[in-house]
């Protein structure tokens, strides 16, 4: 029988996974052996805490699983949290990993010719159409977004658009594709997110887990 008192923690696959797992281990959440087995096709794992299971899903899906209560708590980038903007999510803790920024970038050639984002209309390739539209609206520009799921930096050189909105960490991908940053939209880091209803129905277990992560991030309270 399914134990509805169990809580489920959603971990993001991809570049943040190792850092998220490291924080989780330091917070004394130890997954079952299969979690580390590259041949395993399992997506849900038990832990050393019988009341806590893990799921490993695509990073952009973490806010969705948590907002709909399929997971109670999750580790998600602020980019995905802001883009999806679910009111069901409570965001209690900055985990201070996955630090990067969301920027507007254009081709380096174009930037020297026509330096400002001064047009009233921009075609923009991005994974983040909601954030992009509302940011451009604020600066008085109508943005027509082309939604891509990756390799955004290719779009200008292939004539899909002149402008992109994407994540920058080291800046290497922009540089390697002849693009320059024009404007920062926001700084980004990875946060703990919680389903508000779960927090009401299982406050002890969820608060215990939030506190364990908080102690790991900020150091044990004196
Ligand atoms: C992210 C982002 C940029 C790149 C930035 O892509 O979308 O492309 O990292 O990193 P940098 O500034 O250190 O070069 P990711 O590697 O997650 O792959 P994706 O293109 O599939 O989104």
């Amino acid at each position: 029988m399914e134990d509805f008192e169990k809580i489920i923690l959603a971990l993001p696959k991809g570049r943040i996974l190792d850092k998220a797992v490291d924080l989780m281990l330091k917070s004394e959440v130890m997954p079952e052996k299969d979690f580390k087995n590259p041949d395993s096709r399992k997506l849900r794992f038990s832990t050393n805490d019988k009341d806590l299971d893990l799921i490993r899903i695509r990073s952009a899906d973490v806010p969705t699983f948590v907002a709909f209560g399929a997971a109670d708590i999750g580790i998600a980038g602020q980019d995905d949290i802001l883009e999806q903007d679910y009111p069901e999510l409570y965001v209690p803790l900055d985990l201070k990993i996955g630090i990067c920024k969301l920027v507007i970038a254009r081709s380096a050639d174009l930037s020297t010719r026509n330096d400002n984002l001064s047009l009233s209309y921009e075609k923009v390739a991005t994974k983040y159409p909601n954030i992009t539209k509302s940011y451009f609206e604020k600066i008085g520009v109508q943005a027509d977004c082309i939604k891509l799921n990756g390799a955004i930096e290719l779009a200008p050189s292939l004539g899909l658009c002149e402008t992109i909105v994407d994540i920058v960490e080291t800046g290497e991908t922009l540089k390697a594709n002849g693009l320059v940053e024009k404007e920062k939209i926001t700084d980004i880091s990875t946060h703990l997110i919680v389903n508000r209803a779960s927090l009401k129905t299982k406050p002890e277990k969820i608060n215990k887990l939030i506190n364990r992560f908080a102690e790991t991030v900020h150091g044990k309270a004196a």
Side-chain angles (χ1 to χ4, degrees), residues 170-190:
T170 62
E172 286 305 316
T173 314
L174 283 187
K175 203 167 148 199
N177 290 281
L179 301 174
V180 290
E181 175 181 333
K182 293 308 302 173
E183 212 165 297
K184 180 173 81 176
I185 295 182
T186 181
D187 290 308
I188 298 283
S189 62
T190 299

Side-chain angles (χ1 to χ4, degrees), residues 13-43:
K13 288 201 282 196
R15 66 158 67 190
I16 210 65
L17 182 66
D18 286 349
K19 285 182 183 144
V21 169
D22 187 48
L23 269 187
M24 184 184 82
L25 296 176
K26 286 182 180 148
S27 307
E28 288 162 27
V29 175
M30 308 293 171
E32 64 173 289
K33 261 202 200 128
D34 254 354
F35 187 80
K36 276 194 160 174
N37 174 1
D39 298 326
S40 170
R41 301 296 299 159
K42 277 177 83 163
L43 298 170

Side-chain angles (χ1 to χ4, degrees), residues 15 127 149-153 166-174:
R15 66 158 67 190
K127 266 190 234 177
N149 296 305
I152 319 291
E153 293 86 349
D166 200 14
I167 295 293
V168 168
E169 190 179 349
T170 62
E172 286 305 316
T173 314
L174 283 187

Side-chain angles (χ1 to χ4, degrees), residues 47-112:
T47 69
N48 57 330
D49 180 342
K50 68 172 177 33
D51 291 334
L52 176 65
D53 278 1
L54 305 175
I55 58 172
R56 196 165 49 195
I57 56 182
R58 288 183 70 163
S59 55
D61 289 336
V62 172
T64 309
F65 273 77
V66 178
F68 285 88
D72 301 286
I73 186 162
I75 293 180
Q78 241 170 339
D79 48 341
D80 294 318
I81 301 169
L82 290 172
E83 177 64 16
Q84 297 169 50
D85 198 23
Y86 286 113
E88 296 86 353
L89 296 181
Y90 165 56
V91 186
L93 184 65
D94 183 350
L95 296 171
K96 304 195 187 296
I97 55 172
I99 292 168
C100 53
K101 56 187 175 175
L102 188 67
V103 309
I104 301 171
R106 313 187 80 184
S107 115
D109 299 349
L110 196 71
S111 288
T112 49

